[in-house]
């Protein structure tokens, strides 16, 4: 049975996820400011030398520039205590520079799993695994069929 904290954390995550799928950088940034601790700790590599909520905003700027139609579908969400675990399927069309790759027009579909810890109703820590190999292979950066 879910506790009030688990229900609240899942609802907060839902608001965060909904903002991401607007594909509106301003809405995403405002939602990050509201729901994410400014000093959020990442236990997953971010492709730039910065941390905290500003790094999360930058990640989304990069993704939106490269994949303006990006969509994140939550496949599973599990809450326990102060953590929410979610498994996503991400889709998008490569229409802008990404990781040094010029636009290919190719579509990508890849998976992610994240664990998010909440503190005082805000996202305080993030652990994640993103299938970057599948992403880059579909973009042609890694030889072979997918």
């Amino acid at each position: 049975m879910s506790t009030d904290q688990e229900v609240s954390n899942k609802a907060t995550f839902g608001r965060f996820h909904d903002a991401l799928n607007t594909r509106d950088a301003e809405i995403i940034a405002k939602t990050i400011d509201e729901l994410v601790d400014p000093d959020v700790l990442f236990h997953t590599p971010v492709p730039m030398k910065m941390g905290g909520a500003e790094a999360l905003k930058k990640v989304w700027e990069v993704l939106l520039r490269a994949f303006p139609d990006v969509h994140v579908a939550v496949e599973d969400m599990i809450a326990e205590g102060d953590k929410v675990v979610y498994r996503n399927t991400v889709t998008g069309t490569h229409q802008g520079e990404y990781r040094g790759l010029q636009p290919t027009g190719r579509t990508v579909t890849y998976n992610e799993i994240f664990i998010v810890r909440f503190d005082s109703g805000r996202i305080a820590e993030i652990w994640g695994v993103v299938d970057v190999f599948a992403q880059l292979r579909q973009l042609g950066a890694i030889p072979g069929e997918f």
Side-chain angles (χ1 to χ4, degrees):
M1 182 177 288
S2 294
T3 66
D4 289 342
Q5 179 186 19
E6 291 165 353
V7 170
S8 175
N9 291 346
K10 285 173 79 171
T12 299
F13 170 76
R15 289 180 50 216
F16 179 69
H17 176 262
D18 290 345
L20 301 179
N21 277 329
T22 67
R23 299 180 197 109
D24 182 317
E26 187 175 319
I27 290 172
I28 293 169
K30 285 181 183 180
T31 304
I32 289 170
D33 286 341
E34 180 184 345
L35 302 179
V36 178
D37 186 293
D39 297 317
V40 63
L41 297 174
F42 287 96
H43 302 284
T44 186
V46 290
M48 71 276 306
K49 294 184 189 282
M50 68 175 41
E54 292 306 311
L56 189 55
K57 290 178 195 177
K58 186 67 173 174
V59 164
W60 277 94
E61 286 176 23
V62 168
L63 285 172
L64 289 169
R65 188 171 37 252
F67 305 96
D69 63 343
V70 67
H71 179 76
V72 181
V74 176
E75 306 294 344
D76 290 302
M77 184 180 351
I78 302 163
E80 185 172 321
D82 63 352
K83 293 185 180 80
V84 174
V85 178
Y86 55 100
R87 180 178 64 87
N88 298 326
T89 299
V90 181
T91 56
T93 308
H94 185 214
Q95 298 177 11
E97 185 277 330
Y98 182 69
R99 294 181 179 255
L101 297 171
Q102 292 307 307
T104 63
R106 294 180 180 183
T107 59
V108 295
T109 300
Y110 60 94
N111 298 302
E112 308 174 317
I113 297 174
F114 285 94
I115 302 170
V116 175
R117 185 181 66 80
F118 289 82
D119 185 21
S120 302
R122 296 181 80 174
I123 296 170
E125 285 187 84
I126 301 172
W127 294 262
V129 178
V130 177
D131 191 351
V132 176
F133 180 78
Q135 183 189 69
L136 294 176
R137 197 162 183 195
Q138 291 171 65
L139 293 174
I142 297 173
E145 291 192 32
F146 190 80

